[in-house]
Each structure stands twice: as structure tokens, then as C-alpha cells.
Amino acid sequence: MTTPHPFENLTPSFIQDAIESLGYLCDGRVFGLNSYENRVYQIGIDESEPMIAKFYRPNRWSREQILEEHQFCFELIAQELPVVAPLIREGESLFTYGDFMFALFPRKGGHAPELDNMDNLFTLGRMLGRIHTIGASQPFIHRPEIDIASYGHESVQLISEQFIPAELKTSYDTLTTDLLRLMEENWQICEPINRIRVHGDCHIGNMLWRDDAPHFVDFDDARMAPAIQDIWMLLSGERESQQAQLLEIIEGYSEFCDFNPAQLRLTETLRTLRIMNYAAWIARRWEDPAFPHNFPWFNSVRYWSEHILELREQLFALQEAPLQLYN
């Protein structure tokens, strides 16, 4: 008999019992929101605004690591930055019910920012500059770094040993060996790299544009990393477009925080690590029923062929000159 996945215990009644254990009165409305790593729900509260409940994936982060995420958010809120931070109940922001740790958040509306709008990019740059100024004020103690070892080598080893089809294994192993070597060379050239607390997953899905400003949400992937980690994901299109976007972002960023242009060499390294880690992330979660359901194309020969093609494109990108800070 297959052992049920822990998330299968998150029934509507369990979720409402968890919320009501904190003294709230649920009105019976429980709506699942788009989240795979954790489970996130909008919960109706009797005679009050709905709230968002986030149930953390068991055995992913320790209590200390989650609280570091929360503390970072509280530091940002204290400086009047537009982030969606956990709610505090009787002095606590992280709660336990059954086998789950969970947190509550206010419900906020908004839409994704328009990254082809230069004014938006300038505003995003200013916000990231403020976030990174606070992120650089002290390190995470319990949360790990974004590095080539965990995002690169460990991801490649998992895929190579357990997931890549036999007919593609030689191509994958040869390609990833070259990629890892190039990334390590790029990383070494940039040392010493100033690692700070960053959002870590700074794409448009984790921003809500409202009141003419971005509101940053979901710091679940916050780690120690170079500042460029929160910048490169805002760049898109051909090189000329990315160059213009970068200049706009850094112009706003530099109003609050100095940016080391040497980190631009890490852009394609970090992009490659994200691609590798994303594939490994799905692989590690494949026993979670939500993953085969939502990623039915994963683990097919076609998927791995396209994955290898994407990595091959990164091999060329890693050998190109990085973007520059010039007009």
C-alpha cells in the first residue's frame, strides 16, 4: 500500500481547525491557491476580511530557517517597504498544528508588473536597492546560500543517476560537465563575492503591482546570494533589450545601494543554475501527487531532450561577454 503524502492530510476541516486553534472563526470558505512547494489557501473569516494561510512543506525548512524568512520580512516592513509579511498573533508568526508549521498573511490584490515599461523597471530597481541595503546589514545564520554545489552539482547528480533516459545520458553528462566547469570559472573570477540576504525568487509572479508600486510576496526561497540574483530575472528579450532594462534597473537601484558591476558576469551562471535546480526540484517532488498532475510532461524523453537543448544554449551564453553598465 502506498503511503499517503503528508499534504493529503490538509483537508478543509483540518485547515479550518488549524486556523481556529489561533482564535479565529472560519466561515467555511477555503480556496486553494497556486502553490506547489507549500500549500497556500485563502480562508474566509467570519465578519472579517479573508486571510491567506501557508502550510509549509514538511522537512524542507527548519523552524529556525522559516523564522529567519519572517524576520527578514519584518525588517523590511519596519523600513516601510511594500512586502507582504506574516501576521503576528500573540507575539508569534509561525504556528504548529498536527504535523504542519503554518503562517498567516493578509490578503493583498494586484497584478504582475509590466517589465517592458521602463518606469516600472526603475521603480523595481529602487525597491530592490532598498531591500538589499537591509539584506546586507546582517547575514542569514540558518538559511543556506545559492551556490554551484547545491543548485548545480547536486541537481546534475540526481538527474543523471535517476531520471535522464539512457539514450540521452551521455549527452547530458558531457554537457553538464562542461557547464559546471564554466560556471565555476566564472564564479572564481568574481570572487570575493559579497553575498547578502536576497528574495531569491524575484520573478513577476512574486510581485503584486498596486498603488503604483510593486509589493513583494513569498520570501520562501530567500537565501544568501549575490545581489544580481534578484536583478537578472527582471531581464528579458534580446541582448539589446536586456542592456536597456539593466541600465534602468541599476539607475533606480543605485539611489539606495551600490551595485558591483563585476557581478554581471554571474548572470548566465545563475540562470543556468536555476534551470538545473528547477528540473531537480520537480524530480525531488515527484512523489507529491500534485507534481505528476501539474507537470505531466515532466520525465518524458521529449522533456529531457528540450532540457538538454536549453542547457546547450546556456553553454553558448556562458561564453559571451556579460552585459555592461554603460549608456
PDB file of all heavy atoms in Angstrom, residues 20-41:
ATOM      1  N   GLU A  20      -8.603  28.025  13.394  1.00  0.00           N
ATOM      2  CA  GLU A  20      -9.421  28.320  14.579  1.00  0.00           C
ATOM      3  C   GLU A  20      -8.677  28.025  15.876  1.00  0.00           C
ATOM      4  O   GLU A  20      -9.048  28.548  16.935  1.00  0.00           O
ATOM      5  CB  GLU A  20     -10.726  27.546  14.508  1.00  0.00           C
ATOM      6  CG  GLU A  20     -11.631  28.040  13.366  1.00  0.00           C
ATOM      7  CD  GLU A  20     -13.007  27.424  13.377  1.00  0.00           C
ATOM      8  OE1 GLU A  20     -13.184  26.361  14.028  1.00  0.00           O
ATOM      9  OE2 GLU A  20     -13.920  27.996  12.722  1.00  0.00           O
ATOM     10  N   SER A  21      -7.608  27.213  15.810  1.00  0.00           N
ATOM     11  CA  SER A  21      -6.797  26.976  17.014  1.00  0.00           C
ATOM     12  C   SER A  21      -6.113  28.250  17.486  1.00  0.00           C
ATOM     13  O   SER A  21      -5.656  28.340  18.630  1.00  0.00           O
ATOM     14  CB  SER A  21      -5.747  25.895  16.740  1.00  0.00           C
ATOM     15  OG  SER A  21      -4.703  26.380  15.902  1.00  0.00           O
ATOM     16  N   LEU A  22      -6.044  29.255  16.599  1.00  0.00           N
ATOM     17  CA  LEU A  22      -5.427  30.540  16.947  1.00  0.00           C
ATOM     18  C   LEU A  22      -6.467  31.559  17.404  1.00  0.00           C
ATOM     19  O   LEU A  22      -6.125  32.710  17.665  1.00  0.00           O
ATOM     20  CB  LEU A  22      -4.651  31.096  15.751  1.00  0.00           C
ATOM     21  CG  LEU A  22      -3.535  30.204  15.207  1.00  0.00           C
ATOM     22  CD1 LEU A  22      -2.872  30.858  14.010  1.00  0.00           C
ATOM     23  CD2 LEU A  22      -2.498  29.909  16.293  1.00  0.00           C
ATOM     24  N   GLY A  23      -7.732  31.148  17.466  1.00  0.00           N
ATOM     25  CA  GLY A  23      -8.769  32.044  17.967  1.00  0.00           C
ATOM     26  C   GLY A  23      -9.620  32.696  16.900  1.00  0.00           C
ATOM     27  O   GLY A  23     -10.519  33.483  17.223  1.00  0.00           O
ATOM     28  N   TYR A  24      -9.349  32.403  15.624  1.00  0.00           N
ATOM     29  CA  TYR A  24     -10.176  32.931  14.548  1.00  0.00           C
ATOM     30  C   TYR A  24     -11.417  32.053  14.364  1.00  0.00           C
ATOM     31  O   TYR A  24     -11.421  30.889  14.756  1.00  0.00           O
ATOM     32  CB  TYR A  24      -9.400  32.974  13.229  1.00  0.00           C
ATOM     33  CG  TYR A  24      -8.207  33.902  13.251  1.00  0.00           C
ATOM     34  CD1 TYR A  24      -6.913  33.402  13.438  1.00  0.00           C
ATOM     35  CD2 TYR A  24      -8.360  35.269  13.068  1.00  0.00           C
ATOM     36  CE1 TYR A  24      -5.815  34.246  13.442  1.00  0.00           C
ATOM     37  CE2 TYR A  24      -7.267  36.124  13.080  1.00  0.00           C
ATOM     38  CZ  TYR A  24      -5.998  35.603  13.272  1.00  0.00           C
ATOM     39  OH  TYR A  24      -4.919  36.440  13.287  1.00  0.00           O
ATOM     40  N   LEU A  25     -12.441  32.600  13.738  1.00  0.00           N
ATOM     41  CA  LEU A  25     -13.646  31.847  13.425  1.00  0.00           C
ATOM     42  C   LEU A  25     -13.802  31.802  11.908  1.00  0.00           C
ATOM     43  O   LEU A  25     -14.057  32.822  11.268  1.00  0.00           O
ATOM     44  CB  LEU A  25     -14.879  32.486  14.064  1.00  0.00           C
ATOM     45  CG  LEU A  25     -16.208  31.745  13.848  1.00  0.00           C
ATOM     46  CD1 LEU A  25     -16.134  30.322  14.420  1.00  0.00           C
ATOM     47  CD2 LEU A  25     -17.367  32.511  14.473  1.00  0.00           C
ATOM     48  N   CYS A  26     -13.607  30.635  11.327  1.00  0.00           N
ATOM     49  CA  CYS A  26     -13.713  30.483   9.873  1.00  0.00           C
ATOM     50  C   CYS A  26     -15.173  30.450   9.445  1.00  0.00           C
ATOM     51  O   CYS A  26     -16.032  29.968  10.186  1.00  0.00           O
ATOM     52  CB  CYS A  26     -13.008  29.208   9.421  1.00  0.00           C
ATOM     53  SG  CYS A  26     -11.239  29.161   9.805  1.00  0.00           S
ATOM     54  N   ASP A  27     -15.429  30.919   8.226  1.00  0.00           N
ATOM     55  CA  ASP A  27     -16.808  30.914   7.738  1.00  0.00           C
ATOM     56  C   ASP A  27     -17.064  29.774   6.752  1.00  0.00           C
ATOM     57  O   ASP A  27     -18.112  29.725   6.116  1.00  0.00           O
ATOM     58  CB  ASP A  27     -17.169  32.268   7.117  1.00  0.00           C
ATOM     59  CG  ASP A  27     -16.363  32.586   5.862  1.00  0.00           C
ATOM     60  OD1 ASP A  27     -15.643  31.695   5.361  1.00  0.00           O
ATOM     61  OD2 ASP A  27     -16.450  33.737   5.366  1.00  0.00           O
ATOM     62  N   GLY A  28     -16.114  28.855   6.619  1.00  0.00           N
ATOM     63  CA  GLY A  28     -16.298  27.687   5.773  1.00  0.00           C
ATOM     64  C   GLY A  28     -15.726  27.806   4.376  1.00  0.00           C
ATOM     65  O   GLY A  28     -15.679  26.825   3.635  1.00  0.00           O
ATOM     66  N   ARG A  29     -15.264  28.989   3.993  1.00  0.00           N
ATOM     67  CA  ARG A  29     -14.696  29.168   2.651  1.00  0.00           C
ATOM     68  C   ARG A  29     -13.192  28.892   2.679  1.00  0.00           C
ATOM     69  O   ARG A  29     -12.443  29.581   3.372  1.00  0.00           O
ATOM     70  CB  ARG A  29     -14.956  30.585   2.136  1.00  0.00           C
ATOM     71  CG  ARG A  29     -16.431  30.900   1.898  1.00  0.00           C
ATOM     72  CD  ARG A  29     -16.607  32.358   1.503  1.00  0.00           C
ATOM     73  NE  ARG A  29     -16.196  33.258   2.585  1.00  0.00           N
ATOM     74  CZ  ARG A  29     -15.964  34.556   2.424  1.00  0.00           C
ATOM     75  NH1 ARG A  29     -16.091  35.102   1.215  1.00  0.00           N
ATOM     76  NH2 ARG A  29     -15.597  35.306   3.450  1.00  0.00           N
ATOM     77  N   VAL A  30     -12.774  27.884   1.932  1.00  0.00           N
ATOM     78  CA  VAL A  30     -11.360  27.523   1.826  1.00  0.00           C
ATOM     79  C   VAL A  30     -11.036  27.339   0.347  1.00  0.00           C
ATOM     80  O   VAL A  30     -11.566  26.435  -0.297  1.00  0.00           O
ATOM     81  CB  VAL A  30     -11.036  26.223   2.592  1.00  0.00           C
ATOM     82  CG1 VAL A  30      -9.571  25.849   2.413  1.00  0.00           C
ATOM     83  CG2 VAL A  30     -11.376  26.373   4.076  1.00  0.00           C
ATOM     84  N   PHE A  31     -10.194  28.212  -0.191  1.00  0.00           N
ATOM     85  CA  PHE A  31      -9.846  28.154  -1.614  1.00  0.00           C
ATOM     86  C   PHE A  31      -8.346  27.913  -1.768  1.00  0.00           C
ATOM     87  O   PHE A  31      -7.529  28.689  -1.244  1.00  0.00           O
ATOM     88  CB  PHE A  31     -10.225  29.466  -2.321  1.00  0.00           C
ATOM     89  CG  PHE A  31     -11.685  29.785  -2.256  1.00  0.00           C
ATOM     90  CD1 PHE A  31     -12.156  30.786  -1.422  1.00  0.00           C
ATOM     91  CD2 PHE A  31     -12.603  29.078  -3.028  1.00  0.00           C
ATOM     92  CE1 PHE A  31     -13.495  31.099  -1.351  1.00  0.00           C
ATOM     93  CE2 PHE A  31     -13.954  29.374  -2.972  1.00  0.00           C
ATOM     94  CZ  PHE A  31     -14.411  30.380  -2.133  1.00  0.00           C
ATOM     95  N   GLY A  32      -7.993  26.838  -2.451  1.00  0.00           N
ATOM     96  CA  GLY A  32      -6.596  26.567  -2.710  1.00  0.00           C
ATOM     97  C   GLY A  32      -6.030  27.544  -3.732  1.00  0.00           C
ATOM     98  O   GLY A  32      -6.666  27.832  -4.746  1.00  0.00           O
ATOM     99  N   LEU A  33      -4.834  28.065  -3.458  1.00  0.00           N
ATOM    100  CA  LEU A  33      -4.160  28.993  -4.360  1.00  0.00           C
ATOM    101  C   LEU A  33      -2.999  28.302  -5.062  1.00  0.00           C
ATOM    102  O   LEU A  33      -2.570  27.213  -4.675  1.00  0.00           O
ATOM    103  CB  LEU A  33      -3.680  30.229  -3.584  1.00  0.00           C
ATOM    104  CG  LEU A  33      -4.773  31.007  -2.843  1.00  0.00           C
ATOM    105  CD1 LEU A  33      -4.189  32.203  -2.119  1.00  0.00           C
ATOM    106  CD2 LEU A  33      -5.865  31.453  -3.815  1.00  0.00           C
ATOM    107  N   ASN A  34      -2.477  28.940  -6.079  1.00  0.00           N
ATOM    108  CA  ASN A  34      -1.462  28.334  -6.927  1.00  0.00           C
ATOM    109  C   ASN A  34      -0.122  28.255  -6.193  1.00  0.00           C
ATOM    110  O   ASN A  34       0.600  29.249  -6.098  1.00  0.00           O
ATOM    111  CB  ASN A  34      -1.308  29.145  -8.215  1.00  0.00           C
ATOM    112  CG  ASN A  34      -0.375  28.487  -9.200  1.00  0.00           C
ATOM    113  OD1 ASN A  34      -0.204  27.280  -9.177  1.00  0.00           O
ATOM    114  ND2 ASN A  34       0.222  29.284 -10.063  1.00  0.00           N
ATOM    115  N   SER A  35       0.190  27.097  -5.661  1.00  0.00           N
ATOM    116  CA  SER A  35       1.460  26.886  -4.970  1.00  0.00           C
ATOM    117  C   SER A  35       1.761  25.398  -4.974  1.00  0.00           C
ATOM    118  O   SER A  35       0.881  24.583  -4.705  1.00  0.00           O
ATOM    119  CB  SER A  35       1.390  27.395  -3.523  1.00  0.00           C
ATOM    120  OG  SER A  35       2.605  27.156  -2.854  1.00  0.00           O
ATOM    121  N   TYR A  36       3.001  25.043  -5.280  1.00  0.00           N
ATOM    122  CA  TYR A  36       3.379  23.638  -5.348  1.00  0.00           C
ATOM    123  C   TYR A  36       4.335  23.242  -4.225  1.00  0.00           C
ATOM    124  O   TYR A  36       4.215  22.167  -3.656  1.00  0.00           O
ATOM    125  CB  TYR A  36       4.043  23.333  -6.694  1.00  0.00           C
ATOM    126  CG  TYR A  36       3.169  23.659  -7.877  1.00  0.00           C
ATOM    127  CD1 TYR A  36       3.568  24.596  -8.819  1.00  0.00           C
ATOM    128  CD2 TYR A  36       1.931  23.040  -8.051  1.00  0.00           C
ATOM    129  CE1 TYR A  36       2.760  24.899  -9.911  1.00  0.00           C
ATOM    130  CE2 TYR A  36       1.117  23.340  -9.127  1.00  0.00           C
ATOM    131  CZ  TYR A  36       1.548  24.273 -10.055  1.00  0.00           C
ATOM    132  OH  TYR A  36       0.741  24.578 -11.125  1.00  0.00           O
ATOM    133  N   GLU A  37       5.289  24.114  -3.921  1.00  0.00           N
ATOM    134  CA  GLU A  37       6.276  23.755  -2.901  1.00  0.00           C
ATOM    135  C   GLU A  37       5.619  23.634  -1.538  1.00  0.00           C
ATOM    136  O   GLU A  37       5.866  22.699  -0.779  1.00  0.00           O
ATOM    137  CB  GLU A  37       7.394  24.794  -2.861  1.00  0.00           C
ATOM    138  CG  GLU A  37       8.493  24.485  -1.862  1.00  0.00           C
ATOM    139  CD  GLU A  37       9.216  23.184  -2.157  1.00  0.00           C
ATOM    140  OE1 GLU A  37       9.069  22.608  -3.247  1.00  0.00           O
ATOM    141  OE2 GLU A  37       9.930  22.715  -1.263  1.00  0.00           O
ATOM    142  N   ASN A  38       4.775  24.600  -1.217  1.00  0.00           N
ATOM    143  CA  ASN A  38       3.989  24.568   0.013  1.00  0.00           C
ATOM    144  C   ASN A  38       2.518  24.461  -0.389  1.00  0.00           C
ATOM    145  O   ASN A  38       2.199  24.274  -1.554  1.00  0.00           O
ATOM    146  CB  ASN A  38       4.264  25.830   0.833  1.00  0.00           C
ATOM    147  CG  ASN A  38       5.750  26.008   1.121  1.00  0.00           C
ATOM    148  OD1 ASN A  38       6.359  25.206   1.820  1.00  0.00           O
ATOM    149  ND2 ASN A  38       6.350  27.056   0.568  1.00  0.00           N
ATOM    150  N   ARG A  39       1.622  24.576   0.553  1.00  0.00           N
ATOM    151  CA  ARG A  39       0.196  24.636   0.237  1.00  0.00           C
ATOM    152  C   ARG A  39      -0.347  25.943   0.813  1.00  0.00           C
ATOM    153  O   ARG A  39      -0.142  26.244   2.002  1.00  0.00           O
ATOM    154  CB  ARG A  39      -0.552  23.431   0.803  1.00  0.00           C
ATOM    155  CG  ARG A  39      -0.156  22.110   0.156  1.00  0.00           C
ATOM    156  CD  ARG A  39      -0.533  22.056  -1.321  1.00  0.00           C
ATOM    157  NE  ARG A  39      -0.277  20.743  -1.910  1.00  0.00           N
ATOM    158  CZ  ARG A  39       0.845  20.403  -2.522  1.00  0.00           C
ATOM    159  NH1 ARG A  39       1.837  21.283  -2.608  1.00  0.00           N
ATOM    160  NH2 ARG A  39       1.004  19.195  -3.032  1.00  0.00           N
ATOM    161  N   VAL A  40      -1.016  26.691  -0.056  1.00  0.00           N
ATOM    162  CA  VAL A  40      -1.471  28.030   0.307  1.00  0.00           C
ATOM    163  C   VAL A  40      -2.968  28.130   0.036  1.00  0.00           C
ATOM    164  O   VAL A  40      -3.444  27.706  -1.030  1.00  0.00           O
ATOM    165  CB  VAL A  40      -0.697  29.102  -0.489  1.00  0.00           C
ATOM    166  CG1 VAL A  40      -1.144  30.499  -0.063  1.00  0.00           C
ATOM    167  CG2 VAL A  40       0.812  28.952  -0.279  1.00  0.00           C
ATOM    168  N   TYR A  41      -3.690  28.709   0.987  1.00  0.00           N
ATOM    169  CA  TYR A  41      -5.148  28.777   0.888  1.00  0.00           C
ATOM    170  C   TYR A  41      -5.637  30.166   1.272  1.00  0.00           C
ATOM    171  O   TYR A  41      -5.076  30.826   2.165  1.00  0.00           O
ATOM    172  CB  TYR A  41      -5.802  27.753   1.835  1.00  0.00           C
ATOM    173  CG  TYR A  41      -5.332  26.334   1.624  1.00  0.00           C
ATOM    174  CD1 TYR A  41      -4.242  25.836   2.336  1.00  0.00           C
ATOM    175  CD2 TYR A  41      -5.975  25.495   0.714  1.00  0.00           C
ATOM    176  CE1 TYR A  41      -3.800  24.531   2.148  1.00  0.00           C
ATOM    177  CE2 TYR A  41      -5.537  24.189   0.518  1.00  0.00           C
ATOM    178  CZ  TYR A  41      -4.443  23.723   1.237  1.00  0.00           C
ATOM    179  OH  TYR A  41      -4.010  22.438   1.042  1.00  0.00           O
TER     180      TYR A  41
END
